Amino acid sequence: MRILLTGASGWLGRHLAPLLEARGHEVVGLDVVAGAFTRIVGSVADRALVFQAIAHHAIEAVIHAGALHKPDIARFPRQAFVDVNVTGTLNLLEAAAEAGHARFLFTSTTSLMVRADVRAGAGEAGAWWMDECFGPLEPRNIYGITKLAAENLCRLISRESGMAVAILRTGRFFPEDDDTHAVPSGPNLKANEFLNRRLTAGDAALAHLAALDRWERGCETFVLSAPPPFRRDEAAELARDARAVIARRFPDAVELYERRGWTLPARIERVYDPAKAERLLGWRARTDFAAILSTLRTGEELPFAHDPDWISPVLRQSR
Ligand SMILES: NC(=O)c1ccc[n+]([C@@H]2O[C@H](COP(=O)([O-])OP(=O)(O)OC[C@H]3O[C@@H](n4cnc5c(N)ncnc54)[C@H](O)[C@@H]3O)[C@@H](O)[C@H]2O)c1
C-alpha cells in the first residue's frame, strides 16, 4: 500500500517508517522537518499541500502521527496547536475521505485522559483504571484539548464518509527524561512506567501496523500501553502499597532493582489498560515489565530507549 505518514521525521516516524517498508508498503513521509523518511517537507496545516500530496502520490492510506505535542507547549502558542493538531487532522481526514481511502490511522495520546483529579492522585477506588470507557474527558492542556478535538473529527468524518478510522491513544514512549519528575531518574523511572503507562516506540509502531492490517469498519479508540501485570480488583492496594502487589507478581523484583540502586514505585495511581487493542487488533506490546526484569536478571541491554538529549525535531528546528 502507498502510505502517507505524517511526522515521519519524528521519534515514532523513524520507528514506524522502516517497519512499514519491511512489510512491503511504500512510505511517503510528510513532516515540517526533513528526515530520512520524509519526502514532502511541509505542514499538515497547509490544506492545498495535503490534498496535493494524497492525489499526486496516489496515496491509499494515511497514518497521521505528526503533531505538536507536550514538550512543544513551552515553545509554541496555543494557536499553533490548533492549526497543526486540529486543522491539520481535518485536512488529512477530508483529503483521505475524498480520495476514497478505506482506512485512516490517527496517533492520539493517553494524556488527554488525564484530568486535574487524575493528575492529583488516586481516586476513591484506588488507582484510576483507564481504558477507552474512561470519562468524562477533560484534558488539562492545549495538547490534550487539540488531540481530543482531532479525535472527535476522526469520529465525525468516519461516520459521514464510512472511512474506517483507528484512533490509537498511545501511552508514553519518548526517550528523553520526564519533564516533571526528576526522581527516580532516567531508566529507573522508565522501567517503573512499564508497569502501568509506557510502551516502547517499537511496540507503538507495531500497534500501528496491526491497526492498518486489522481495522476495517467504523471508528474505534484503542489505548496502547504495555500490558499491566495487575488486576482491576488490586486498584486500591496499588494506590496504597504498590510494592506489595509487585512483590506478589515478581518475587525477585526488589532484589533485582536493589542491585542497580533502583527503586520500585511506592504507589501506582493510574493504570492504562490496552486489553481492547489486544482483543480487536491482535496487538500486545512485546516489551512489558517482566521483559525488563528479565534483562536485569541476565545483564542484557535494557529493552527500551533512554536518551536524555533527545529533542523533538520541530523543537530542535525552532531553536
Ligand atoms: N512521545 C510520546 O511519548 C507520545 C505519547 C503519546 C502520543 N504521542 C503521539 O505520537 C505522535 C508522534 O510523536 P513523537 O513522539 O514521534 O513526537 P516527535 O516530536 O518526535 O514527532 C512528531 C513529528 O511531527 C512533526 N510535525 C510537527 N508539526 C508538524 C506539521 N505542522 N506538519 C507535519 N509534521 C509536523 C515534527 O516535526 C515531528 O517530526 C504524536 O502525534 C504524539 O502526539 C507521543
Side-chain angles (χ1 to χ4, degrees):
M1 224 188 281
R2 212 164 302 110
I3 294 169
L4 184 72
L5 173 64
T6 72
S9 303
W11 183 244
L12 177 61
R14 64 187 60 192
H15 288 83
L16 180 52
L19 204 61
L20 288 164
E21 287 185 347
R23 297 284 174 98
H25 298 293
E26 184 184 335
V27 177
V28 177
L30 187 163
D31 201 298
V32 275
V33 179
F37 301 100
T38 295
R39 289 205 346 222
I40 306 167
V41 175
S43 173
V44 293
D46 180 341
R47 188 171 174 86
L49 176 99
V50 165
F51 274 75
Q52 202 182 24
I54 287 179
H56 181 74
H57 292 274
I59 297 297
E60 295 162 282
V62 173
I63 302 181
H64 180 28
L68 288 183
H69 67 126
K70 187 162 169 250
D72 303 319
I73 292 178
R75 206 55 170 218
F76 291 90
R78 287 191 281 268
Q79 184 64 56
F81 277 80
V82 173
D83 294 344
V84 176
N85 294 356
V86 184
T87 306
T89 304
L90 181 63
N91 290 340
L92 288 155
L93 284 163
E94 289 187 337
E98 189 180 289
H101 290 186
R103 62 175 65 71
F104 185 104
L105 307 188
F106 174 57
T107 316
S108 188
T109 173
T110 50
S111 166
L112 63 76
M113 300 197 281
V114 183
R115 302 182 303 233
D117 54 349
V118 173
R119 197 166 171 72
E124 273 174 25
W128 297 97
W129 207 269
M130 304 181 77
D131 61 13
E132 297 77 6
C133 299
F134 179 82
L137 298 172
E138 289 165 15
R140 68 193 192 285
N141 58 32
I142 190 66
Y143 171 50
I145 284 169
T146 52
K147 280 291 199 178
L148 180 57
E151 282 195 358
N152 283 328
L153 288 171
C154 289
R155 294 180 186 108
L156 175 74
I157 304 297
S158 173
R159 206 162 51 236
E160 290 185 352
S161 69
M163 181 167 68
V165 181
I167 297 170
L168 302 174
R169 230 179 242 174
T170 313
R172 300 178 148 203
F173 58 84
F174 58 78
E176 69 267 32
D177 279 324
D178 190 286
D179 57 355
T180 43
H181 299 103
V183 181
S185 62
N188 185 170
L189 179 61
K190 284 196 173 69
N192 291 359
E193 289 173 343
F194 276 85
L195 286 162
N196 62 319
R197 59 180 301 196
R198 178 173 275 275
L199 71 172
T200 65
D203 278 328
L206 283 167
H208 285 69
L209 214 59
L212 189 69
D213 288 343
R214 296 276 286 267
W215 195 245
E216 292 182 333
R217 198 162 302 126
C219 182
E220 279 293 343
T221 307
F222 300 95
V223 167
L224 305 181
S225 194
F230 311 120
R231 296 187 316 262
R232 269 183 199 235
D233 62 10
E234 291 170 316
E237 194 181 357
L238 283 172
R240 217 176 39 244
D241 184 5
R243 285 173 186 158
V245 189
I246 297 166
R248 275 204 301 275
R249 289 287 178 295
F250 308 104
D252 62 347
V254 171
E255 190 200 326
L256 292 168
Y257 259 54
E258 275 173 358
R259 272 196 235 150
R260 285 237 171 184
W262 283 6
T263 52
L264 286 161
R267 284 178 303 281
I268 288 183
E269 305 198 280
R270 75 178 89 131
V271 175
Y272 293 120
D273 183 352
K276 182 176 169 186
E278 183 165 355
R279 213 171 54 247
L280 298 188
L281 301 179
W283 171 86
R284 183 182 169 91
R286 290 177 179 178
T287 301
D288 56 10
F289 189 70
I292 291 165
L293 289 186
S294 139
T295 62
L296 296 184
R297 242 174 249 124
T298 58
E300 283 167 275
E301 200 181 320
L302 290 168
F304 56 83
H306 174 66
D307 178 0
D309 299 325
W310 167 261
I311 298 168
S312 95
V314 74
L315 261 184
R316 205 178 315 126
Q317 195 181 58
S318 75
R319 283 186 163 183

